[in-house]
Amino acid sequence: MKKKNVFVCEVCGYTTPKWLGRCPQCEEWDTFREMEVKKEEKPAKAPTIKRYNELKEEADERIKTDIEEFDRVMGGGLVPGNQVLIGGEPGIGKSTIMLQVADAISKKGNTVLYVSGEESLSQIRMRAKRIGFSGENVFFSSEIEVESIEEAIEKASPSVAIFDSLQTMKIYEIPSVPGTPSQLKEVTQRLTKFCKSRNISAFFLAHVTKEGIIAGPKLVEHIVDTVLYLEGEKNTSLRILRSIKNRFGSTNEIGIFEMEEMGLKEVKNPSSFFISESTLESPGSVAFPHIEGNRVFLLEVQALASYTPFGTPRRVSIGIDYNRVSILLAVIENKLGIDLRTKDIFINVVGGIFVRDPSADLPVLLSVLSSLRNRKIGPKIVAFGEIGLTGEVRRVTDAEKRLLEAKKLGFELAIVPPLEKTKKYGIELKEVKNVKEAVNLLFG
Ligand SMILES: Nc1ncnc2c1ncn2[C@@H]1O[C@H](COP(=O)(O)OP(=O)(O)OP(=O)(O)O)[C@@H](O)[C@H]1O
Ligand SMILES: [Mg+2]
């Protein structure tokens, strides 16, 4: 019988029986590589079936690292046998955070095995020294071949194993180089099976790839229990650990960190991290309560509108979707009758967070108007609300949570969409139905 092969996109893992020039899923060019489809061997033993009440419930004995931001994203700690994928751009801090996690777990008396195929043991030692690592119960290995790694696991018999990174590890029998789709899939499958059967929790690190023959973490997301991504802008120190999938917890959690010389430091109170009263005194600056996962914290949006003699004015937005900004500027022109043709407009969400929450519409619009009129909104005022194409200010989720956080931080007035129930939040509320009302309220 003819051997059956498929073509797999190295970027997103899309599979097709024919070679394609461009991936229909992720729309990248020239990313398909041929892979052999292995015939699964038939299991020798008879299948077992059980009734619901015969199923055993495992005791929830999570290992806590006491790095709160990390434990929360994991769903309250690490479940024994949990297989976790940690993805992220190269250099974002994956190895650093895992070294910190290894240290924390070891301090609790658990044995950890850190397998590094990426860096030499002396490189790891240098980083460990920099971040104040003491991990007595952490073993290191620089094996890259799965069979040797399995032996190292047997030898160390750890509670937790860390594989840094998947893209450097290989199975000897597979002819392709480490990091190719076939290697990545097989290595992950084999190591997860190996660790799971021994109730060892494992972390698999993988960097996000855009081109070339090295496959990215997307390809193996389905194999593991939990998928976390470490995100952040390279030029800022802010890092967000986000859960994309979690069989042992909610995916609504994020962990916020700051990259420092000593490693990743938890940002326990993000509101005070992002908000500064002094800049809120300037025209163009507006505070808003932002929701990310289950957390609410205050952010600041800044706008700068400046005169341009050129026919095509510039529109720049950082930290917020460009299309959303275009809609808001069109609403300003159309519903408020303000001509923006001679204005360059720059918008920035302070701190390096990318805001996807539509509740930032109203603050963005107000920041543009505040800059245009050169009138400050002030450090004691917050605003939130989605803006529709007819200029209406629409309700958003979790208004109560947002108001309570603003109150906690000493804000005195909130400009909000019409609320469902008018409760007292200890902060003065001004409900606005449309952008005209909001503008009249602030700028008269
Ligand atoms: N002395 C230092 N002070 C502050 N930050 C540092 C220092 N040295 C390194 N860093 C930060 O650590 C980052 C590298 O972290 P790390 O090696 O953990 O990333 P990574 O995600 O594992 O990268 P890779 O994909 O290359 O393995 C650097 O990009 C830099 O931001
Ligand atoms: Mg690394």
Side-chain angles (χ1 to χ4, degrees):
M1 205 173 80
K2 202 169 160 273
K3 238 185 3 188
K4 199 176 156 228
N5 282 2
V6 292
F7 292 84
V8 179
C9 169
E10 283 164 355
V11 178
C12 69
Y14 185 84
T15 311
T16 143
K18 274 194 323 207
W19 185 86
L20 298 173
R22 188 180 197 191
C23 175
Q25 186 165 286
C26 66
E27 301 187 337
E28 294 286 336
W29 290 94
D30 193 24
T31 56
F32 281 95
R33 298 286 173 265
E34 192 166 9
M35 269 174 79
E36 193 183 324
V37 181
K38 277 210 179 149
K39 241 181 116 187
E40 289 278 324
E41 276 173 34
K42 198 166 178 265
K45 58 179 186 159
T48 45
I49 55 167
K50 281 183 178 165
R51 288 177 198 281
Y52 171 66
N53 54 12
E54 290 165 348
L55 303 179
K56 268 196 293 185
E57 193 173 327
E58 304 261 334
D60 193 358
E61 288 165 354
R62 292 179 188 249
I63 304 173
K64 287 215 181 348
T65 63
D66 292 342
I67 306 173
E68 273 174 43
E69 295 294 304
F70 182 83
D71 287 344
R72 185 152 26 78
V73 176
M74 291 293 302
L78 182 60
V79 176
N82 188 0
Q83 310 295 303
V84 188
L85 176 71
I86 310 248
E89 298 281 333
I92 203 74
K94 301 179 293 298
S95 306
T96 309
I97 196 169
M98 284 329 296
L99 207 53
Q100 289 176 257
V101 166
D103 194 21
I105 292 174
S106 132
K107 279 193 182 125
K108 293 259 166 120
N110 300 293
T111 307
V112 181
L113 175 68
Y114 195 117
V115 186
S116 173
E118 205 138 84
E119 290 163 303
S120 67
L121 297 183
S122 61
Q123 265 176 311
I124 297 181
R125 192 184 155 78
M126 260 165 58
R127 177 186 297 117
K129 211 169 155 190
R130 171 160 60 84
I131 66 170
F133 179 89
S134 60
E136 261 175 55
N137 304 314
V138 186
F139 292 100
F140 290 93
S141 161
S142 55
E143 298 297 337
I144 57 163
E145 212 275 305
V146 167
E147 217 160 284
S148 315
I149 295 173
E150 287 172 348
E151 271 176 41
I153 298 174
E154 296 279 18
K155 215 166 166 181
S157 172
S159 318
V160 178
I162 297 167
F163 305 103
D164 184 4
S165 70
L166 273 178
Q167 284 128 328
T168 55
M169 299 177 177
K170 65 175 287 194
I171 291 177
Y172 187 69
E173 299 84 46
I174 299 177
S176 53
V177 295
T180 45
S182 45
Q183 286 285 7
L184 200 73
K185 273 193 174 168
E186 292 289 332
V187 166
T188 316
Q189 240 144 15
R190 211 160 120 182
L191 287 175
T192 46
K193 209 165 161 191
F194 190 84
C195 290
K196 213 159 205 144
S197 67
R198 285 160 181 77
N199 213 24
I200 298 171
S201 313
F203 291 96
F204 299 90
L205 278 57
H207 62 264
V208 174
T209 51
K210 289 226 166 59
E211 49 198 42
I213 59 159
I214 304 297
K218 275 236 161 322
L219 198 65
V220 293
E221 279 181 355
H222 64 284
I223 302 172
V224 294
D225 302 311
T226 304
V227 178
L228 308 181
Y229 276 86
L230 188 61
E231 302 172 350
E233 294 287 330
K234 272 278 170 62
N235 45 5
T236 69
S237 59
L238 186 80
R239 299 288 181 268
I240 291 186
L241 188 66
R242 199 184 291 278
S243 151
I244 304 293
K245 151 178 167 179
N246 195 354
R247 289 186 183 143
F248 300 104
S250 148
T251 49
N252 251 346
E253 296 290 359
I254 58 160
I256 307 178
F257 299 90
E258 203 185 349
M259 179 61 109
E260 291 188 345
E261 181 159 0
M262 291 284 288
L264 287 146
K265 197 179 124 213
E266 295 177 75
V267 177
K268 289 193 176 156
N269 186 354
S271 288
S272 51
F273 180 79
F274 293 113
I275 284 282
S276 122
E277 208 166 289
S278 59
T279 54
L280 287 171
E281 285 283 2
S282 310
S285 166
V286 182
F288 70 98
H290 170 62
I291 301 250
E292 185 86 48
N294 274 335
R295 297 180 85 182
V296 50
F297 47 90
L298 275 109
L299 284 180
E300 178 186 343
V301 57
Q302 296 180 341
L304 181 66
S306 63
Y307 172 76
T308 171
F310 302 113
T312 321
R314 292 185 69 194
R315 308 285 184 238
V316 177
S317 75
I318 297 172
I320 194 149
D321 181 37
Y322 181 79
N323 291 330
R324 271 212 106 78
V325 169
S326 304
I327 291 175
L328 295 174
L329 298 182
V331 169
I332 293 180
E333 291 205 299
N334 194 286
K335 302 294 165 198
L336 298 172
I338 298 172
D339 189 354
L340 298 176
R341 279 174 301 179
T342 57
K343 299 287 181 192
D344 281 341
I345 291 173
F346 306 95
I347 290 171
N348 180 30
V349 177
V350 178
I353 280 218
F354 192 93
V355 174
R356 292 175 185 86
D357 181 359
S359 71
D361 286 357
L362 184 60
V364 169
L365 179 128
L366 293 175
S367 71
V368 174
L369 289 164
S370 162
S371 175
L372 277 171
R373 306 240 163 131
N374 200 24
R375 284 183 50 190
K376 72 167 184 183
I377 290 189
K380 295 290 171 212
I381 300 181
V382 291
F384 62 86
E386 182 178 352
I387 291 177
L389 293 183
T390 66
E392 82 275 19
V393 179
R394 306 173 70 97
R395 237 179 247 156
V396 292
T397 55
D398 297 313
E400 181 162 346
K401 249 175 153 179
R402 296 174 202 262
L403 290 167
L404 290 174
E405 179 71 9
K407 156 82 178 60
K408 205 170 94 192
L409 283 149
F411 286 88
E412 290 163 4
L413 173 67
I415 302 164
V416 297
L419 297 177
E420 218 167 319
K421 40 186 179 198
T422 29
K423 249 172 67 181
K424 292 242 178 306
Y425 297 102
I427 178 169
E428 191 185 344
L429 296 180
K430 291 277 185 217
E431 298 181 35
V432 290
K433 287 202 277 302
N434 52 51
V435 290
K436 256 200 187 122
E437 276 186 31
V439 172
N440 286 340
L441 180 79
L442 282 170
F443 307 109

